[in-house]
Amino acid sequence: MIRRLLLGALLLSATGAGAQTLFTYGSDSVSAPEFLSAYHKNNGAGKGNSPLNEYLDLYISSRLKVKEARRLGYDTLPQMVTDLQQLREQLLPTYLNDLAGVDGLVNEAYARSKRNIHVAHIFVAARGAADTTAAWAKMQRALAELKGGKSFGDVARTYSEDPTVKTNGGDLGWVAVFELPYELENLAWTARPNGPALVYRSRAGYHIFKSMGERADPGTVKASQILLAFPPDASDAERAAVKKRADSIYLRLQKGDDFSKLAAKFSNDVVSAANNGELPDISVGQFDPVFEQKVFAIAKDGAVAAPFQTAHGWHIVKRVKYLPRTGMDSTTQVQLLREQVQRSDRMSIVQTRLAQNIRKQAGFTGLAVSEADLRAFTDSLLEYAKPGRTLGVNSSTGLVTIGTQTFTGEDWIRWAGANRFKSDGSGAKPFAQLWQEFVDASTIDFYKAHLETYNPAFRAQMEEFRDGNLFFEIMQREVWTPAQTDTAALEAYYEAHRSKYVWKPSAEAVLFYAPDAASARSAQALVAKKPASWHSIVTNHDERIAIDSNRFEIDQIPNPTKLPLKSLTVTGVQVNATDGSATFAVVLRMRPETGARTFAEARGQVIADYQKELEERWVNSLRAKYPVTINQPVLLELMKGK
């Protein structure tokens, strides 16, 4: 919507119309850019000045109807309010995410998805102030040994507190985008391949990251497996027996045995065995590194790798299909990346960035009381600790102001009480972290409640939806319902205009409506073989095909090839270029005679004509109630430059 507004403004700038008023109606007015926005959205394909003039008349009528709907209070109807609020909730994430730069995160994720990083990692825990000094010293000793030339694996085994270091020596293997926490992913993708190790401080402790190399992402493999698992605490003899069984099954596969049947019979992976050995799609970083290496090394679809061993047992894997990584030209891939970004911990970064942008845009006044008083006030209510002195803060004290809204001590305590503990159950959050989260959350709440004030595109979209609902409601009450339900008025209109409702040459026919050309052609081919059996054929063929059996004038019957019509003629398929739907017909009986239509036969046309008359009378009354004045010089400029 904002793009259309800008387009309208540019066009007006070029023609000299500026942002002048195009017309007034009652006490309200519409600017030239506002009208052009609607015109280009709904009538942009029109040529010449006539379409613009015609659209202006329709546009004025719609604005009059919406104005009358507001006067009647339709915008306060419960269903109207509910519908608008539901739409607002649906639209909010899109506008908030755009402000926070989610598109940038999607583009970043795509760029990173092209590469895998071979990562080595050392972790030193530092969960509180008491741990920090010792953890820092330990991390420095590890760095010194790395700089001295000691192997990363040896240093990791000595210093790392990562539980997996005993088995992997700090080597995390190849990782792909979204596998690591975002803050660590940033470190991995920043590190220079085989360059110096990088240090990062997270809330959990210190991390030393080293990039051991990078490669192009190999894509995805669909595969099936037979797993022959080692028994718990298996002896060497038991492991050898498992290998012998794996070799025996592999030999059967080489002789032509069915992989899926052998997987269902022998595999110890109960989940994949129940699915004939089929595994979830395999991408980098989702399985054991040895397993992934072997799978991606299989040369072609349909090939089966020789048995190989991991910590779990012996595997026999068949490559079913290789799927190369797709690019951003794939709509599906873009949507998948966006969903992954929105599900990932990146969104905490997004929320922080969003709150910062909002405070810059809306204005922000920071903590208005001493932090010591706020801490004591908080402890007195959440921990029941007596402050022992008079505090400069209470529940009604203003703490921070965002835009036009001040958040009080009561707001803070309510939020802190619900959010003060860490999600991992390890205790309370530090005060500084909790306070910043409160400020960010309050900022976003304020922005959500006032988004129309700060975002013209959102405001325009909400106004468009609100006006559309008002237009529909008042048309339903003033025109559509009366025109369809007032039988006495319809009969009177029919009697007064009986000469309009006559039959031209016609036919009793059945019209078939299909959602697409292929469905229509399939049904038409069957009906053409036995036209008299059209009902049973189509009923049993495709439930999506709708049927209308009636008397139709000849020009109402779809007949793209202009066949001569007679009883049981099946016409060709006529495709609607607008939506791709398609129709064809079966003629049951020709009705060449002309004559007056009965009220029942003409009812549909009578309703349409009476509806038009009702609407014209009503619009004329609205024009009298809200006089319309068009700024002709501005209109002429629009007609020249539209």
Side-chain angles (χ1 to χ4, degrees), residues 408-604:
T408 66
E410 181 180 359
D411 298 322
W412 157 246
I413 292 299
R414 186 186 305 113
W415 192 92
N419 297 277
R420 60 182 173 142
F421 292 110
K422 298 177 182 178
S423 58
D424 62 4
S426 60
K429 298 173 183 176
F431 182 86
Q433 176 188 341
L434 187 64
W435 173 254
Q436 188 58 53
E437 288 178 0
F438 166 71
V439 172
D440 288 348
S442 300
T443 300
I444 293 171
D445 286 345
F446 168 80
Y447 195 69
K448 286 180 179 178
H450 299 83
L451 188 53
E452 287 87 345
T453 302
Y454 296 99
N455 192 308
F458 181 77
R459 180 173 63 249
Q461 190 163 3
M462 291 298 297
E463 288 175 352
E464 182 180 353
F465 182 83
R466 182 187 298 109
D467 289 354
N469 270 8
L470 289 172
F471 179 89
F472 182 89
E473 184 68 25
I474 199 165
M475 284 291 290
Q476 192 76 36
R477 295 181 182 225
E478 298 289 339
V479 178
W480 297 333
T481 298
Q484 294 177 30
T485 60
D486 191 343
T487 301
L490 290 172
E491 289 177 342
Y493 186 89
Y494 166 77
E495 291 296 335
H497 303 84
R498 182 186 287 268
S499 61
K500 292 173 58 177
Y501 306 112
V502 296
W503 281 110
K504 298 176 184 177
S506 59
E508 294 174 12
V510 183
L511 271 56
F512 301 84
Y513 301 90
D516 53 70
S519 300
R521 292 191 180 103
S522 175
Q524 192 266 1
L526 293 174
V527 173
K529 294 177 181 178
K530 294 183 178 181
S533 303
W534 62 267
H535 189 274
S536 61
I537 291 172
V538 173
T539 300
N540 295 325
H541 175 66
D542 191 338
E543 63 182 13
R544 297 179 303 160
I545 295 179
I547 299 171
D548 184 7
S549 178
N550 213 323
R551 182 179 178 181
F552 301 95
E553 293 181 348
I554 298 300
D555 59 3
Q556 294 177 306
I557 297 174
N559 187 15
T561 58
K562 307 299 181 185
L563 288 173
L565 299 182
K566 60 181 180 180
S567 179
L568 297 184
T569 296
V570 180
T571 67
V573 172
Q574 182 169 299
V575 180
N576 185 334
T578 303
D579 61 6
S581 62
T583 60
F584 68 95
V586 174
V587 176
L588 303 179
R589 178 189 172 198
M590 296 301 296
R591 298 288 295 271
E593 70 276 10
T594 60
R597 293 182 187 230
T598 65
F599 173 71
E601 291 173 332
R603 186 182 180 92

Side-chain angles (χ1 to χ4, degrees), residues 601-621:
E601 291 173 332
R603 186 182 180 92
Q605 190 175 345
V606 171
I607 289 174
D609 292 342
Y610 181 57
Q611 181 175 293
K612 183 178 180 181
E613 182 177 284
L614 274 181
E615 185 174 2
E616 287 176 352
R617 291 204 304 259
W618 178 47
V619 169
N620 287 337
S621 72

Side-chain angles (χ1 to χ4, degrees), residues 194-334:
N194 295 308
L198 301 181
V199 178
Y200 179 76
R201 174 70 159 94
S202 72
R203 290 176 181 173
Y206 293 99
H207 305 263
I208 300 174
F209 262 76
K210 184 175 177 63
S211 171
M212 310 297 286
E214 62 179 56
R215 69 180 184 189
D217 183 83
T220 301
V221 171
K222 290 182 176 293
S224 298
Q225 83 153 341
I226 299 170
L227 169 64
L228 302 175
F230 293 135
D233 302 319
S235 65
D236 290 344
E238 288 173 319
R239 288 173 176 265
V242 172
K243 181 182 186 307
K244 184 176 180 180
R245 192 160 67 253
D247 291 338
S248 175
I249 293 172
Y250 181 63
L251 183 61
R252 291 179 60 175
L253 289 169
Q254 288 181 308
K255 292 179 178 180
D257 268 14
D258 185 271
F259 192 100
S260 60
K261 291 180 180 179
L262 293 179
K265 184 175 181 180
F266 294 109
S267 182
N268 298 133
D269 178 0
V270 293
V271 176
S272 65
N275 199 28
N276 296 320
E278 184 177 329
L279 294 166
D281 290 356
I282 300 170
S283 299
V284 171
Q286 297 179 336
F287 291 83
D288 181 279
V290 175
F291 181 86
E292 285 185 5
Q293 181 182 3
K294 294 290 187 179
V295 169
F296 281 106
I298 301 174
K300 60 182 180 180
D301 293 350
V304 179
F308 61 89
Q309 182 181 348
T310 70
H312 305 287
W314 284 87
H315 305 258
I316 305 170
V317 178
K318 176 182 178 180
R319 187 174 110 174
V320 177
K321 187 175 183 180
Y322 171 68
L323 302 171
R325 182 181 53 80
T326 54
M328 288 288 273
D329 54 337
S330 164
T331 303
T332 302
Q333 177 69 4
V334 173

Side-chain angles (χ1 to χ4, degrees), residues 96 111 136 166 303 306 323 335 350 353 362 377 429 445 610 615:
L96 294 176
W136 173 257
K166 295 179 181 179
L323 302 171
Q335 184 59 30
V350 166
R353 188 181 302 166
F377 171 69
K429 298 173 183 176
D445 286 345
Y610 181 57
E615 185 174 2

